[in-house]
Amino acid sequence: MNFFTALLAQMPDAVAKGLIWGLMALGVYITYKILDFPDLTVDGSLCTGGAVAAVMIVSGIPAPIALVGALIAGGVTGAVTGILHTKMGIPGILAGILTQLALYSINLRIMGNRSNVSVSVDQFPLMASIRYPEQTCLIALLFCVGIVAVLCWFFGTELGSAVRATGSNPNMARAQGINTNGTKMVALILSNALVGLSGGLFAQYQSASDVNMGRGAIVIGLAAVIIGEVIFGKVFRNFALKMLAVAIGAILYYLVYQVVIWLGLNTDDMKLITALIVAAFLAIPYWKGKYAHVKVPAGSANAGAKTGGDQDA
């Protein structure tokens, strides 16, 4: 009974982390699902947002303004990836890797050549804190709902529709006069801006910005997107609900994480477990499609032929 009590006590923390990382997952959703762009900048831009927010808060700047700084910093990292891809002809996945690699050194410089910067809730009025997970849940939920509303509006505009068209069929988009390089830049900036915002909020939540805080973030983001799509894909048809499903997927991921800890498994294996979860959810649609084609429906031509053959025999 004590084990279940301990598990339930960790639920607010899991939900708070899930909602914060849900903001990051929304950024991944923009590039991965809407733009169809393999952007690996995320691991670096999350830390950039956290580093900028932490340094600004330590400098005496209010936490909400620090989050704006994290948002802008994340957008800049997306712009760098976009320039490498669109202006220098570097493939998207390599452009993201190069930016991510460069950001490690840049993030260290932002934090004054330190591996981490502490922002204690005892010293600064933060918007999120691990000491107050319920309050953090409310704030992160408001962020998620507000950003989903803004994204729904944006992707309904002419520019947002152009971004979606670029992801669906870039050749047709160019034939319609859309500047696909420009729309890619917009999507990458928007995506990494959300990732930077998530990093700024997460740095406040864990009371520190760390140079390695973004390591593996892209995997968690993909896990949230895929879990949300597989579980709620047939239920949530609306575009807004699909994005909310991404945030729910992030929450489910962290709930699984807490269960893993509760079961006494080694947390060092969490990256392996995450990779297996993502692989499984990626494979489920493929398996469904494969075995749906193999199964012969009743009343089909083949079934009729088989029946006729049996009758002749």
Side-chain angles (χ1 to χ4, degrees):
M1 191 67 178
N2 292 333
F3 289 105
F4 286 102
T5 303
L7 178 62
L8 290 174
Q10 294 297 321
M11 288 299 103
D13 176 60
V15 174
K17 286 182 179 177
L19 288 169
I20 292 173
W21 284 78
L23 297 172
M24 180 272 297
L26 286 172
V28 174
Y29 182 84
I30 292 173
T31 52
Y32 178 68
K33 297 297 292 183
I34 296 178
L35 188 62
D36 193 22
F37 186 96
D39 183 26
L40 298 182
T41 314
V42 174
D43 285 16
S45 58
L46 183 88
C47 180
T48 301
V52 169
V55 170
M56 291 178 71
I57 291 172
V58 170
S59 300
I61 297 174
I65 299 178
L67 285 182
V68 175
L71 182 82
I72 294 172
V76 171
T77 65
V80 172
T81 300
I83 291 172
L84 291 175
H85 176 62
T86 62
K87 302 299 182 183
M88 301 178 67
I90 300 174
I93 192 168
L94 291 179
I97 291 173
L98 289 174
T99 305
Q100 176 195 134
L101 182 65
L103 284 175
Y104 185 87
S105 298
I106 293 172
N107 293 336
L108 283 174
R109 292 296 185 94
I110 292 173
M111 294 188 291
N113 292 321
R114 292 174 290 175
S115 60
N116 59 74
V117 175
S118 176
V119 281
S120 173
V121 70
D122 294 329
Q123 298 176 324
F124 308 100
L126 306 179
M127 295 184 66
S129 174
I130 196 170
R131 292 190 191 177
Y132 311 108
E134 294 84 1
Q135 177 182 333
T136 302
C137 286
L138 178 59
I139 293 174
L141 178 62
L142 291 175
F143 268 107
C144 285
V145 173
I147 287 173
V148 167
V150 172
L151 290 177
C152 284
W153 167 81
F154 171 75
F155 284 110
T157 64
E158 184 176 350
L159 178 58
S161 299
V163 172
R164 298 174 70 176
T166 301
S168 297
N169 192 329
N171 293 327
M172 181 60 71
R174 282 191 290 269
Q176 296 296 321
I178 295 174
N179 181 357
T180 54
N181 285 339
T183 53
K184 288 179 181 179
M185 285 285 293
V186 170
L188 286 167
I189 291 172
L190 181 59
S191 169
N192 285 281
L194 293 180
V195 175
L197 175 64
S198 174
L201 202 58
F202 188 63
Q204 295 183 46
Y205 184 74
Q206 65 177 6
S207 300
S209 171
D210 188 88
V211 72
N212 292 314
M213 64 184 287
R215 182 171 295 177
I218 184 64
V219 178
I220 298 175
L222 288 174
V225 172
I226 294 164
I227 291 171
E229 183 180 33
V230 171
I231 295 178
F232 303 103
K234 292 184 178 180
V235 180
F236 292 172
R237 299 289 185 179
N238 182 274
F239 183 65
L241 293 178
K242 286 183 178 180
M243 287 190 290
L244 283 176
V246 173
I248 297 173
I251 295 174
L252 292 176
Y253 169 83
Y254 270 99
L255 289 176
V256 172
Y257 184 90
Q258 291 298 335
V259 171
V260 168
I261 296 176
W262 175 70
L263 291 174
L265 299 179
N266 192 340
T267 55
D268 292 337
D269 296 331
M270 199 57 205
K271 299 296 183 184
L272 172 62
I273 295 171
T274 299
L276 293 175
I277 292 172
V278 173
F281 277 97
L282 280 171
I284 287 173
Y286 170 76
W287 288 335
K288 283 183 177 179
K290 182 178 180 180
Y291 291 111
H293 288 299
V294 171
K295 184 178 179 181
V296 179
S300 66
N302 291 336
K306 184 176 180 180
T307 303
D310 292 339
Q311 288 176 347
D312 291 340

